[in-house]
């Protein structure tokens, strides 16, 4: 019988955020697949957990993934962890999940910290619908193309960014989107946690004068709904004539078109009579 792959969320800063369930899973699995075994070893040492560690990250996932799968198929259980946050989110863990799903290996998520969710909740921007865009490309051309594809995106957008790339990214965001509201969260759950709610132009100025420190989550307002252009009387007349050709009586056609376009019913009726 195959083992189970557990996706265990780890703290993004504060070790107190590791859940009791996560501790139980880390203590009970046969081995742990870690993004950086050195980082995970510090976490395990803090909680006095001793488990075999294997390396699994973006540079070795093509070979490490099948190796982990082989052990799972042999009946061992494994906890997959990243340096911080939820495995398989903007992370090569998604490839391992796909491998396991294809072989019928059970995969169970052990919830916990996720920087994008924390930043979204703190942003003060609409959270009912959002899109996660992860890290933008280091290529300026690719980054601009990516942002251009989002110019008309109405949902709140979430990006991850490193401090040394922040200024360039903010400039590109402003150029692509115009001056929209943005929330910048850094060092979430850590000693110097900070959330700044401002606009893109003000953020560009702020970090040009104050070198950014720490990892950032950027939450950017989506595009404003396009304003609907009111229909003209001429367009209303054409719509009424079309409705009448479909078999509606004059008054019924005028009423429907007036309701759907916002045109004044009496003015529309008079215009239709004049056009006949």
């Amino acid at each position: 019988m195959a083992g189970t792959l557990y996706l265990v969320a780890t703290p993004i800063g504060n070790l107190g955020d590791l859940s009791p369930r996560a501790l139980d899973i880390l203590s009970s699995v046969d081995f742990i697949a870690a993004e950086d075994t050195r980082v995970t070893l510090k976490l395990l040492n803090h909680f006095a957990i001793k488990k075999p560690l294997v390396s699994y990250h973006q540079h070795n996932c093509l070979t490490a993934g099948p190796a982990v799968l082989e052990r799972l198929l042999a009946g061992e259980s494994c906890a997959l962890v990243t340096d911080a946050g939820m495995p398989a989110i903007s992370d090569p863990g998604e490839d391992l999940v796909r491998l396991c799903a294809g072989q019928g290996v059970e995969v169970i998520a052990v919830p916990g910290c996720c920087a994008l969710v924390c930043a979204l909740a703190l942003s003060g921007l609409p959270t009912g619908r959002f899109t996660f865009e992860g890290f933008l490309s280091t290529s300026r051309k690719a980054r601009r193309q990516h942002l251009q594809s989002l110019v008309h995106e109405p949902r709140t957008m979430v990006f991850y960014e490193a401090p040394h790339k922040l200024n360039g990214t903010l400039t590109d965001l402003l150029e692509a989107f115009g001056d929209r509201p943005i929330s910048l969260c850094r060092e979430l759950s850590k000693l110097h946690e900070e959330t700044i709610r401002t606009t893109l132009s003000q953020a560009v100025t702020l970090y040009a004068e104050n070198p950014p420190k720490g990892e950032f989550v950027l939450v950017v307002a989506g595009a404003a709904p396009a304003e609907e252009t009111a229909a003209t009387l001429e367009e209303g007349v054409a719509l009424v004539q079309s409705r009448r050709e479909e078999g509606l009586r004059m008054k019924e056609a005028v009423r429907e078109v007036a309701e759907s376009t916002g045109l004044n019913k009496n003015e529309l009726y008079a215009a239709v009579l004049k056009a006949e």
Side-chain angles (χ1 to χ4, degrees):
M1 182 176 177
T4 301
L5 175 68
Y6 295 94
L7 308 178
V8 180
T10 52
I12 56 178
N14 192 318
L15 295 181
D17 291 334
L18 190 65
S19 72
R21 184 184 174 206
L23 284 172
D24 287 343
I25 295 296
L26 292 174
S27 300
S28 63
V29 292
D30 294 300
F31 68 104
I32 297 171
E35 178 181 1
D36 187 328
T37 55
R38 295 165 299 181
V39 172
T40 300
L41 184 59
K42 291 179 182 178
L43 177 69
L44 297 180
N45 286 341
H46 179 82
F47 292 102
I49 298 173
K50 293 185 177 181
K51 287 291 173 179
L53 290 169
V54 298
S55 179
Y56 180 88
H57 49 73
Q58 62 177 337
H59 301 297
N60 76 347
C61 60
L62 293 180
T63 55
V68 171
L69 176 62
E70 184 178 354
R71 295 180 66 173
L72 287 164
L73 290 172
E76 293 187 76
S77 58
C78 172
L80 177 67
V81 298
T82 66
D83 291 349
M86 190 71 194
I89 301 299
S90 192
D91 173 79
E94 65 180 296
D95 298 323
L96 183 55
V97 172
R98 192 178 303 112
L99 281 175
C100 289
Q103 293 294 320
V105 173
E106 185 175 23
V107 181
I108 294 176
V110 181
C113 300
C114 183
L116 82 92
V117 174
C118 292
L120 187 66
L122 290 168
S123 70
L125 294 171
T127 61
R129 299 179 67 217
F130 65 94
T131 173
F132 175 53
E133 300 298 323
F135 285 98
L136 291 168
S137 172
T138 54
S139 161
R140 191 97 191 267
K141 181 180 179 181
R143 189 161 71 247
R144 287 181 167 180
Q145 289 176 338
H146 185 166
L147 294 177
Q148 194 59 40
S149 73
L150 297 171
V151 167
H152 301 296
E153 172 57 65
R155 296 170 293 182
T156 299
M157 295 169 284
V158 184
F159 303 87
Y160 285 166
E161 196 50 279
H164 66 279
K165 290 170 51 188
L166 182 68
N167 291 341
T169 293
L170 289 174
T171 298
D172 287 344
L173 287 168
L174 178 60
E175 182 180 314
F177 299 154
D179 200 13
R180 296 188 193 176
I182 181 174
S183 172
L184 303 98
C185 295
R186 71 180 189 91
E187 299 293 90
L188 285 167
S189 84
K190 301 176 185 177
L191 180 62
H192 300 293
E193 176 177 335
E194 180 180 43
T195 298
I196 295 177
R197 304 173 187 86
T198 182
T199 63
L200 282 168
S201 64
Q202 291 173 339
V204 167
T205 300
L206 173 64
Y207 289 105
E209 299 171 352
N210 303 277
K213 298 178 181 179
E215 299 297 318
F216 282 79
V217 183
L218 313 178
V219 186
V220 184
E227 293 185 8
E228 295 185 5
T229 304
T232 63
L233 271 177
E234 290 78 9
E235 292 170 334
V237 168
L239 288 170
V240 170
Q241 292 172 338
S242 176
R243 295 287 197 281
R244 292 190 68 190
E245 290 174 0
E246 295 171 0
L248 292 183
R249 292 178 299 174
M250 170 77 85
K251 288 186 178 180
E252 189 176 358
V254 169
R255 178 182 58 78
E256 284 192 6
V257 171
E259 289 178 355
S260 65
T261 62
L263 291 169
N264 180 278
K265 183 170 65 175
N266 293 332
E267 291 179 359
L268 178 59
Y269 191 88
V272 172
L273 289 177
K274 184 177 179 179
E276 292 186 340

